[in-house]
Amino acid sequence: MMLAVDIGNTNIVLGVYRGRELMHHFRLSTNRQSTADEYGVLIHNLFHMSNVSVKDVEGVIISSVVPPLVQVIVEMCVKYIGKEPLLVGPGIKTGLNLRYENPREIGADRIVNAVAAIEQYKCPLVVVDFGTATTFDCIDAGANYLGGAIVPGLGISTEALYQRASKLPRIELEKPKKVIGRNTVHAMQAGIIFGYAGQVEGIVRRIKLEMNAPFLKVIATGGLAALIAGETECIDEVNPMLTLEGLRIIYDRNK
């Protein structure tokens, strides 16, 4: 078996693979203060509840956009799983043709998503990852990674309203019944959810024009993908496991 670990700013997502099959997946809160021992205890408990033995794990691969946590998770893997993990970064074989000005600036999650999307879908395509930030990654008909766009995520936008507007409360990210809110909470939810869907539609429309690819496929992933995908027709498919699949593919290419 293989363990894939995606360290994001909000969550750490883990997937346990047997060959090409995803057997189990878990989502932890990202805590920059947690130690290798604390994450080790969490992993052992999750494995135990899923009837998985760490002794069966033959390898680990990690992608991260949180540099301070990389060494913590590496230490956890060595100490509690007994494996030195493979890190997604410079020098690793991805099979991805990068047309970015400085490839070292590309987040590991964006590279992993692109690798998985090219493997699973027909190019050209766009991957929209709804995380702490929402990223748009563009791949042309020749399977070349072109770049994309980055915007503040839904959570950041919602929290900014609460922190910067004295009379606005902190709200849950839920779809309201109507766009015309009859109270402050519903009005905020309408503005954030429907406004964000409109933003996604606008960016995707401009990407299609710029790439001269009106029929390119749009794949959504990330924790909030399903929420926004239900409010727009520009997203063709939601694949919540896209990042884990990309990690599995890259691991196989580097074994």
Side-chain angles (χ1 to χ4, degrees):
M1 292 195 296
M2 185 272 290
L3 175 64
V5 183
D6 176 46
I7 306 172
N9 287 293
T10 303
N11 294 119
I12 298 176
V13 182
L14 307 98
V16 179
Y17 281 89
R18 177 176 286 120
R20 299 172 62 91
E21 182 182 1
L22 179 62
M23 305 296 295
H24 307 280
H25 60 90
F26 315 103
R27 185 178 293 268
L28 307 175
S29 294
T30 301
N31 186 347
R32 291 165 176 79
Q33 308 305 317
S34 292
T35 66
D37 292 327
E38 289 171 322
Y39 278 116
V41 170
L42 287 173
I43 296 297
H44 262 271
N45 287 340
L46 290 170
F47 276 32
H48 178 72
M49 289 188 295
S50 302
N51 294 318
V52 177
S53 172
V54 294
K55 296 179 181 179
D56 296 330
V57 176
E58 298 176 354
V60 182
I61 184 169
I62 297 173
S63 68
S64 174
V65 295
V66 189
L69 272 181
V70 173
Q71 189 53 43
V72 173
I73 301 301
V74 168
E75 182 183 338
M76 181 275 292
C77 291
V78 172
K79 185 174 181 179
Y80 289 93
I81 303 178
K83 300 296 179 182
E84 185 76 34
L86 180 67
L87 300 178
V88 177
I92 195 172
K93 297 178 183 177
T94 65
L96 193 61
N97 298 316
L98 301 174
R99 297 292 184 264
Y100 212 66
E101 290 182 0
N102 184 357
R104 292 178 180 271
E105 293 180 354
I106 308 174
D109 55 339
R110 301 178 70 184
I111 289 176
V112 170
N113 285 340
V115 168
I118 291 171
E119 183 88 1
Q120 296 185 17
Y121 304 100
K122 183 179 179 180
C123 297
L125 54 87
V126 174
V127 178
V128 188
D129 189 346
F130 294 89
T132 305
T134 296
T135 56
F136 297 76
D137 295 304
C138 307
I139 296 101
D140 67 14
N144 300 299
Y145 179 90
L146 303 179
I150 304 173
V151 301
L154 273 162
I156 290 176
S157 303
T158 306
E159 194 65 16
L161 269 181
Y162 166 71
Q163 292 182 356
R164 300 299 295 271
S166 299
K167 296 187 69 175
L168 296 183
R170 180 178 276 126
I171 63 170
E172 294 292 329
L173 284 172
E174 296 178 354
K175 174 191 171 183
K177 294 181 179 180
K178 299 179 179 180
V179 70
I180 302 176
R182 299 293 297 275
N183 57 60
T184 301
V185 170
H186 289 170
M188 291 175 67
Q189 289 174 333
I192 291 167
I193 302 299
F194 300 136
Y196 210 86
Q199 176 179 245
V200 171
E201 289 174 351
I203 293 176
V204 168
R205 182 174 63 251
R206 289 172 178 268
I207 287 172
K208 289 181 176 181
L209 287 172
E210 195 167 312
M211 291 178 62
N212 192 25
F215 302 109
L216 63 73
K217 197 174 186 67
V218 181
I219 311 300
T221 191
L224 297 170
L227 178 62
I228 298 301
E231 304 309 318
T232 174
E233 296 181 357
C234 76
I235 293 175
D236 298 304
E237 185 171 334
V238 176
N239 185 342
M241 299 298 127
L242 190 70
T243 308
L244 292 180
E245 280 297 304
L247 285 170
R248 178 193 62 77
I249 294 166
I250 294 174
Y251 177 83
D252 288 342
R253 290 176 180 173
N254 286 268
K255 277 196 303 185

